[in-house]
Amino acid sequence: MDPINIEGTPKTPTVNFSSDSGVLEIKGRSIPENAVEFYKPLVDWIGSYGDSAQSNTEVNIQLEYFNTSSSKCILDVFKKLESVNGKTNITINWHYEEDDEDMLEAGEDYQAIINIPFKMIEMEEM
Amino acid sequence: MTPSGVMIDFHGEINEEKLSSILSDAETKLEENEENFKKSRKVYNILVESLQNLFHHSDAFGDAELMDGIKKRTTSFILAKKDEEYNILAANFIEMANINPLKGRLDKVNGLDKEGLRNLYKEVLDNGQYSVHGGGGLGMIDIARKSGNKLDYTFAEVNDDYGLFILKIKV
């Protein structure tokens, strides 16, 4: 299936989803006024990916900022991943910058809701 | 930054373009004036949330006028720094009928401690309800959680149908 490659903007993240490598990446900032529009194609892609998934899937989330309009959409991405988790072994790597407790807590909040292993990865600089 | 510490001082009809320019202006000023990266990130996050909140509520009024020459979507937004503390003021018009429900939500948020806010956030995050713009009631909880302070708010009566909602956030 076709990959998703979206360049980041000041309000939306860089997205690289590849079914060939089984690596899904969302990076940068996610502060659009309306996040639903941006995230829907990503959620749909994951649904289709489930039918031809690699045996292992690595999800890298590396966000500097996200607004509450994005919060529920990011949860939707994780829930969709949860729904295909039987067909592929998924790991979610949640990156946060050193000392950014708000971003660490945000990752822990998703971890508490989603039944997929999360790795919290502290980075010196993103 | 002015000697009084005012970094952003906006008064007028907000739209998407103005929102973006205020945000980028604020980001530049925070980079110049705040050495503490953690604080700068926190303040920017809260700015995004409070400005987008203003925008969504005001945008819903369209071009309707409240009184002669003043549109309902007129807002005020101020960011000022004093010593190590940031103060944000956001003001927008609101229908009288919406005041009590909003007051109820704010008082609920203000009644919670750090852990309580985190639990409420998770509960609302996972309740499956979406507002038009997606946030579904997370905004005020997020602002309170990140600022670590109570939401200081007032309502002023404008006429029989409308009030002015003023929110002050300390970070």
Side-chain angles (χ1 to χ4, degrees):
Chain A
M1 64 187 286
D2 288 339
I4 295 185
N5 298 111
I6 302 170
E7 284 257 10
T9 72
K11 286 193 177 171
T12 53
T14 298
V15 180
N16 292 300
F17 284 7
S18 163
S19 58
D20 292 343
S21 63
V23 177
L24 283 55
E25 188 176 73
I26 301 178
K27 258 175 107 162
R29 45 179 65 189
S30 182
I31 53 169
E33 279 85 51
N34 188 339
V36 180
E37 220 170 280
F38 183 84
Y39 281 90
K40 189 174 182 302
L42 309 188
V43 173
D44 292 345
W45 189 96
I46 294 166
S48 317
Y49 171 70
D51 300 328
S52 56
Q54 301 292 332
S55 50
N56 293 301
T57 300
E58 187 183 310
V59 180
N60 292 311
I61 310 289
Q62 191 176 324
L63 292 168
E64 276 177 78
Y65 295 109
F66 64 93
N67 60 1
T68 57
S69 176
S70 303
S71 302
K72 289 201 176 193
C73 297
I74 295 170
L75 181 68
D76 284 344
V77 167
F78 291 149
K79 289 217 159 160
K80 200 55 152 183
L81 285 165
E82 201 174 35
S83 78
V84 301
N85 197 19
K87 301 170 180 170
T88 169
N89 290 312
I90 303 177
T91 307
I92 296 173
N93 299 313
W94 182 271
H95 299 77
Y96 65 100
E97 208 160 317
E98 205 177 359
D99 292 335
D100 191 351
E101 280 161 32
D102 289 339
M103 194 53 82
L104 172 62
E105 279 192 9
E108 289 169 351
D109 291 347
Y110 286 119
Q111 188 177 28
I113 298 170
I114 297 297
N115 194 18
I116 298 177
F118 269 65
K119 268 191 212 159
M120 298 299 170
I121 301 174
E122 187 176 22
M123 303 178 74
E124 273 189 29
E125 209 171 290
M126 299 217 303
Chain B
M1 190 156 70
T2 64
S4 60
V6 174
M7 296 167 81
I8 302 284
D9 186 0
F10 174 81
H11 180 77
E13 294 158 25
I14 194 141
N15 56 34
E16 214 168 323
E17 205 177 301
K18 279 181 190 151
L19 172 72
S20 300
S21 91
I22 297 171
L23 279 177
S24 102
D25 189 21
E27 191 170 17
T28 311
K29 286 188 173 145
L30 280 171
E31 270 168 23
E32 289 166 0
N33 294 292
E34 183 54 66
E35 285 161 13
N36 181 342
F37 145 84
K38 206 173 133 185
K39 185 100 178 191
S40 143
R41 199 158 266 199
K42 217 180 242 300
V43 172
Y44 187 71
N45 252 308
I46 293 170
L47 279 182
V48 169
E49 218 49 63
S50 48
L51 268 166
Q52 291 186 336
N53 198 38
L54 267 192
F55 169 71
H56 289 303
H57 288 284
S58 309
D59 196 45
F61 287 132
D63 262 340
E65 284 197 343
L66 180 66
M67 51 187 79
D68 258 2
I70 298 177
K71 290 199 172 144
K72 289 178 186 173
R73 67 152 183 257
T74 306
T75 61
S76 289
F77 190 86
I78 297 168
L79 169 69
K81 186 184 185 188
K82 196 185 171 198
D83 303 322
E84 289 315 302
E85 193 175 81
Y86 288 85
N87 282 285
I88 295 166
L89 181 145
N92 60 277
F93 293 118
I94 178 171
E95 283 115 330
M96 281 297 186
N98 291 335
I99 290 180
N100 276 335
L102 176 58
K103 196 172 177 301
R105 286 199 287 131
L106 294 169
D107 290 343
K108 182 178 178 186
V109 166
N110 277 342
L112 296 169
D113 62 4
K114 193 173 185 297
E115 213 39 48
L117 282 172
R118 188 171 190 176
N119 289 333
L120 179 63
Y121 181 94
K122 279 191 272 192
E123 192 185 300
V124 176
L125 176 65
D126 197 21
N127 69 4
Q129 288 167 26
Y130 296 80
S131 49
V132 187
H133 46 92
L138 284 170
M140 291 297 174
I141 307 170
D142 190 58
I143 290 171
R145 202 177 157 188
K146 292 206 168 100
S147 76
N149 290 306
K150 301 290 174 203
L151 303 169
D152 179 3
Y153 70 87
T154 43
F155 292 100
E157 200 181 305
V158 176
N159 61 26
D160 287 348
D161 302 319
Y162 283 88
L164 182 67
F165 169 56
I166 305 164
L167 176 66
K168 287 187 242 170
I169 309 157
K170 214 179 273 248
V171 193

